[in-house]
Amino acid sequence: MGDPVAEYTSRCQHQEREIKLLQDEIERLKDPQEPNFSSSQLDELKEENSRLKYRLKILKTSLQEEMCQNGKTMMNINQRLQQIFGDAISTSFPDLENPPLAVTPNQQAKFGDYQCNSAMAMSQMLKAKGQKVSPREIAEKIVQNIPDNELIEKTEIAGPGFINVHLKKVFVSKLLTNLLLNGVQPPPLEKKKKVIVDFSSPNIAKEMHVGHLRSTIIGDSMCRLFEFLGNDVLRLNHVGDWGTQFGMLIAHLQDKFPNYLTVSPPIGDLQAFYKESKKRFDEEEEFKKRAYQCVVKLQSKEPDFIKGWNLICEVSRKEFQKVYNCLDIRIEERGESYYQDMMTAVVKEFEEKGLVELDEGRKIVFPPGQSVPLTIVKSDGGYTYDTSDLAAIRNRLFDEKADIIIYVTDSGQAMHFQMIFAAAQMIGWYDPKVRRIEHAGFGVVLGEDKKKFKTRSGDTVRLMDLLEEGLKRSMDKLKEKEREKVLTPEELVIAQRAVAFGCIKYADLSKNRINDYIFSFDKMLDDRGNTAAYLLYAFTRIRSIARLANIQEPTLRKAAETTEVLLDHEKEWKLGKCILRFPEILQKITDDLLLHTLCDYLYELATTFTEFYDCCYCIEKDRQTGEVVKVNMWRILLCEATAAVMAKSFDILGINPVQRM
C-alpha cells in the first residue's frame, strides 16, 4: 500500500493545477476580444462559462474539505454553510444575479446553531423584477434545494423566512478531534500572498513615546495574523532617519565630540542631545548656517557626515530595541533614507506622464478626487514626505511585489495616505481590485482625565518609563495574590513580564482601534472582566485541570485518538461550537483589520468555558479523601481544545501566557 500522505499531496497538487487551468479558461471566456459572435455562439460560451464556474466551485470545496479532514487546515463552518446555501439559492433562483448571502451564528440556542437570512432581501429583489414571492416561499424553495452535505442535521423555517440551521453533533465532534490531534491550524488559504505591514515608525534621535505604542502593538498583531494564515509577511519600520534635522544634529555632534570619527561619542540621552541642538539652531544664526551645510554634505554622502549620521542612528536603534525586546517585536528597519535614491525616478515618471503642475516653484500632483495636492519637489529642489512615501509604495509594489500593503499609523494621517494611494492608482502602479493597499488608522491614547496622555509636567510619556511602571505594578499585583509563595523567583519574574506586557497589549487591542482609548493600569490589571489579567489566569487554570488530575501528555494524546468528544450536555455543545468559531473570527479580522473582535471572542470563549466547567464535572473526587475517582476524558479533551485555541489567540495578539501564575 502506498504512502497515503504522498498520495493525498499528489491529489491536492493535481486539483490545484486543474483549478488554475479552469480559472485561466474562465478569464479567457470573459475576454471580449473575439469580434462578431453570433447569438448562438454567445449562448454556448455563456453556458460553457457557467459549467466551468460550477466545476471550479466543486473542486475548491472538495479540496478544502479534504484538507480539513486530513488536519492540514481548520474548517470555517460559516464559510462552508455559505457555500451550501449559495448553491441552494443558485439552484432555486438561477436568474437572480448576485443574490444576497447572509449566514450568521444564531444568538439563541433554541433556534438552532446558525441562521440564513437571505430570503427577505431576495423577496425585495424579485419584487423589483415584477415577481411577487413571499420570503417564506423563498425560504422553503432554498431548503428544498440544499445539496447533500456533511454538517447540517436539519433546517427549520421561522417567522417571515428565517432558515434556522442545526449542525450534526457527530461532525462537530470530528472537527474537535482533528483540532486535538493536529493542533490549531489556519483555515484553508486560496493563495499565499506577499503582505507588507508598515508599523511602529519612530523618529531617529527622539525617544519612543506612548504615541508609538499603538502602532507597534497593532502592527505586530496584524503581522502575526497574516503569518499564521500562511502568508509571506514583511514587517517594515519606516523610521524618520533623513531630513534637515540631521544637519543640526551632526553640527552639534562635531562641536560636542570633535573626535567622533575615531571614538564613539557617549550620547547617553539622545533626547537631551536633540533638544540642545534644536535650541542652538533656533538661537544661533552661525550654527543654523553650518547645520544647512551639513545637510547638503550628508545628502552628497560625504563619508565623515555619513559616519556622524550612522552614529546618531545607532544610538537610537539601541533605545528602540529595548522597547521591542520588552514587547517581543520583530521588525526590519527601512527608514526614509532607504528610498532617497528612488525619488528622482519617481518625480521623472510623474513628469513624463504629464501629471505634474508647477506652483510657485513647487512641483505638485493632484490625485483624482482630492482638493489638496501632493508636493513632490519643494521650491528649493528638495524632496518631501510625499515623495518619500510615493517612492516607498512604488518599491513595495514593483520590487517587493506585494499583494497586500497595510500602513498602521494614527488616524490623523488618513488624508495623506488616501492621497498617496490615489496618486499611485492614477499613475497606474496598481489596481485596487487586484491588490489591497490600506491605511489601518487608530485613535490617540488618553489619560484617565480623558485628555492626551502626558506626564504631570505636561511632557509626552516615554514608552520605556511606561513599560517599567507596568512591570512594577504587575509584581505588586502578583504579591497581593501571594504568588511569591508558590512560584520560584524565576517563575515569578516570567509571570511578572507576562502580566505586565500582556495587559498593556490587550488593553490596546481589545478596544476598537479607530477610537481613542483611556490608558489605565488599574483597569488593565483588574482580574475581572475582559482583561488580559483575567484571561491569563483563566488560561492557567484550564491548563492545570489535566495536570492536577495527574493526566500526562501521552495519555491525552491517546485519548484524543480513541475517545469521542461527546456533546450531549447543552454546555458541552455550546463550548464545542464556540471553539470551532475561531476560523470565522480570523476571517472577519482579515477583512476589516479590527483586532478587538479576537479579544471579544477570547473573552467569550473563557466565559463559555466557565459555564461548562461549573455544570459539567471533568474530574469527580471522593468528597472525604479528595482522591480522583472518575475522569470524564471527553470533557478533559474539551478543556484541552479550549486551551489550544486560547493559546493560539494569545499568540496572534502577541501575548505570552505562562504555565504557572
Side-chain angles (χ1 to χ4, degrees), residues 299-329:
Q299 289 176 341
S300 303
K301 300 193 175 173
E302 290 192 18
D304 290 2
F305 292 84
I306 288 291
K307 175 147 191 188
W309 171 74
N310 272 326
L311 284 168
I312 291 163
C313 289
E314 198 48 47
V315 174
S316 273
R317 280 188 200 110
K318 284 177 182 169
E319 291 302 310
F320 298 160
Q321 198 55 48
K322 288 178 187 174
V323 171
Y324 296 147
N325 287 346
C326 285
L327 297 174
D328 190 23
I329 306 294

Side-chain angles (χ1 to χ4, degrees), residues 15 19 53-69 75 79-80 82-84 87 148-150 188 190:
Q15 283 183 324
I19 285 171
K53 280 186 174 176
Y54 180 74
R55 196 166 160 217
L56 176 60
K57 188 196 268 185
I58 295 294
L59 272 170
K60 281 188 173 179
T61 303
S62 165
L63 183 60
Q64 286 185 8
E65 283 176 21
E66 201 158 346
M67 287 180 77
C68 289
Q69 284 165 13
M75 177 180 282
Q79 204 170 63
R80 180 72 186 104
Q82 285 186 38
Q83 289 170 349
I84 291 166
D87 289 345
D148 288 340
N149 63 84
E150 72 286 15
E190 211 165 278

Side-chain angles (χ1 to χ4, degrees), residues 95-199:
D95 298 330
L96 200 59
E97 282 188 32
N98 300 317
L101 188 55
V103 179
T104 57
N106 232 327
Q107 298 306 308
Q108 295 185 58
K110 64 181 179 181
F111 296 129
D113 307 311
Y114 283 81
Q115 192 175 76
C116 175
N117 302 329
S118 299
M120 280 65 75
M122 286 173 66
S123 177
Q124 293 300 314
M125 287 176 77
L126 289 167
K127 188 178 178 183
K129 294 179 79 172
Q131 299 174 45
K132 193 174 179 184
V133 190
S134 76
R136 196 167 179 95
E137 288 175 80
I138 292 169
E140 284 167 357
K141 201 165 183 184
I142 293 170
V143 167
Q144 286 165 11
N145 286 296
I146 289 174
D148 288 340
N149 63 84
E150 72 286 15
L151 74 162
I152 296 177
E153 179 72 42
K154 64 174 181 175
T155 56
E156 296 164 340
I157 299 169
F162 301 115
I163 304 172
N164 291 327
V165 179
H166 297 259
L167 299 176
K168 289 179 181 173
K169 288 188 177 176
V170 172
F171 182 74
V172 171
S173 177
K174 278 183 186 172
L175 291 182
L176 289 165
T177 297
N178 281 347
L179 186 157
L180 288 158
L181 292 174
N182 301 296
V184 181
Q185 299 294 328
L189 186 69
E190 211 165 278
K191 176 182 173 257
K192 185 174 185 173
K193 292 183 177 178
K194 175 71 175 278
V195 181
I196 294 178
V197 184
D198 178 327
F199 68 105

Side-chain angles (χ1 to χ4, degrees), residues 19 54 105 108 119 175 206 213 320 338 428 461 523 609 624:
I19 285 171
Y54 180 74
Q108 295 185 58
L175 291 182
K206 293 183 181 178
L213 183 68
F320 298 160
Y338 183 86
V461 178
K523 285 180 182 171
F609 177 84
Q624 291 179 327

